[in-house]
Amino acid sequence: MKTVKKKRLSEMVADEIKQYIKKENLTSGDRLPATTELMNALGIGRSTLREALQLLESQDILEVLNGKGTFIKDAKPFYIRTAFDVENEKKFLLDALDVRMALEGKAVDLAVHKATEKDITIMQQHLTDYVRYIEEGKREQANRADAGFHQALYDAANNQLLTSIIDSVWDTFHQFWNEPFGQDDIFDQSYPFHVALLEAIKQRNTVAAADSFQKMMDSVKTSIEKYRE
């Protein structure tokens, strides 16, 4: 019998919004219904909707403009739909890590050469936020900052097809990477390698960036392998 993984309400709401976007054939620049309308349609409160929208922002699907509304940011023209029945979470995460290493590793290689000063500033801000949220005990926000760092890294690669493929995999894997085995701090030990990776990107050092990324992935793999379900 497989373990049943609890899914946050905000994640379920985010999924519903993505289904709405697909059903209505919304494209980049289109506006979502007003906040009150979404809350009533989904039967949720303002804080849950805000968390769902923030999650979709971190995935680069939506853009929330204060005073103007919420807009579709990326229609994902190359979106690949994937689905898995996860019987063994540890094996799934290790298999997913292999895929992540291939795709994100390429993103790292491209980002070293293509990252703009704006890209670097955004990645640095996410790392700064991560540390602050950890110190404040705000674990969910810290995880969101970590997700934002990786999303900014993909954006820095400046390859639309690669980013879309990564995003499609991200959507499928998110709930498992976000809180594997029901633990929200399992990947904290990989943080120093995030810092080293960003420094290598700043210096346009391909070798150092690849080394830092490999160490990050090795740390993640070790955390998964040593966990006893």
Side-chain angles (χ1 to χ4, degrees):
M1 185 178 294
K2 65 181 179 181
T3 301
V4 177
K5 184 175 178 65
K6 184 178 180 181
K7 197 172 186 180
R8 287 193 178 95
L9 179 58
S10 59
E11 292 177 338
M12 292 188 286
V13 171
D15 288 343
E16 286 295 321
I17 293 175
K18 283 189 285 187
Q19 290 303 316
Y20 172 82
I21 292 172
K22 294 175 186 176
K23 181 181 177 181
E24 298 297 321
N25 293 316
L26 299 182
T27 60
S28 300
D30 287 343
R31 182 177 178 176
L32 280 185
T35 298
T36 303
E37 186 177 343
L38 286 174
M39 290 166 53
N40 291 336
L42 295 166
I44 57 173
R46 188 175 299 276
S47 61
T48 299
L49 178 60
R50 181 171 61 250
E51 290 176 7
L53 295 179
Q54 288 175 340
L55 174 58
L56 293 174
E57 271 197 296
S58 73
Q59 296 175 8
D60 242 19
I61 295 172
L62 297 179
E63 182 176 20
V64 180
L65 301 178
N66 293 332
K68 295 183 179 180
T70 303
F71 299 85
I72 311 301
K73 186 175 182 181
D74 186 358
K76 301 190 188 317
F78 304 108
Y79 189 85
I80 298 174
R81 185 171 179 79
T82 53
F84 298 90
D85 183 17
V86 180
E87 295 285 348
N88 184 313
E89 187 172 353
K90 179 178 287 188
K91 183 179 185 305
F92 174 86
L93 285 168
L94 290 172
D95 287 348
L97 185 62
D98 289 338
V99 176
R100 177 180 175 183
M101 289 174 66
L103 295 175
E104 191 169 331
K106 185 59 181 177
V108 167
D109 181 57
L110 292 172
V112 170
H113 302 288
K114 295 184 176 182
T116 65
E117 288 303 316
K118 181 180 179 180
D119 292 326
I120 291 172
T121 297
I122 292 173
M123 285 188 279
Q124 182 63 67
Q125 185 59 56
H126 284 306
L127 291 183
T128 300
D129 289 344
Y130 178 87
V131 173
R132 175 167 59 86
Y133 287 135
I134 290 294
E135 292 174 347
E136 295 175 355
K138 298 178 179 178
R139 170 56 59 177
E140 186 170 352
Q141 290 92 327
N143 287 346
R144 192 177 299 130
D146 177 62
F149 171 85
H150 289 279
Q151 185 63 60
L153 172 64
Y154 309 149
D155 291 341
N158 194 25
N159 184 301
Q160 186 180 15
L161 179 55
L162 177 62
T163 301
S164 295
I165 293 172
I166 291 174
D167 283 349
S168 67
V169 175
W170 178 288
D171 288 346
T172 300
F173 294 168
H174 173 75
Q175 62 177 307
F176 297 95
W177 286 118
N178 187 51
E179 199 172 297
F181 313 117
Q183 305 294 314
D184 58 11
D185 60 352
I186 190 171
F187 298 138
D188 281 359
Q189 292 181 348
S190 69
Y191 171 76
F193 305 118
H194 289 65
V195 177
L197 173 59
L198 180 57
E199 186 60 32
I201 291 174
K202 289 179 181 178
Q203 296 176 5
R204 310 297 180 183
N205 190 324
T206 303
V207 174
D211 181 64
S212 297
F213 176 70
Q214 185 61 53
K215 288 178 179 177
M216 183 195 304
M217 295 296 99
D218 288 344
S219 174
V220 171
K221 184 176 183 179
T222 298
S223 296
I224 294 171
E225 290 180 330
K226 74 179 183 182
Y227 188 84
R228 292 185 178 180
E229 297 182 86

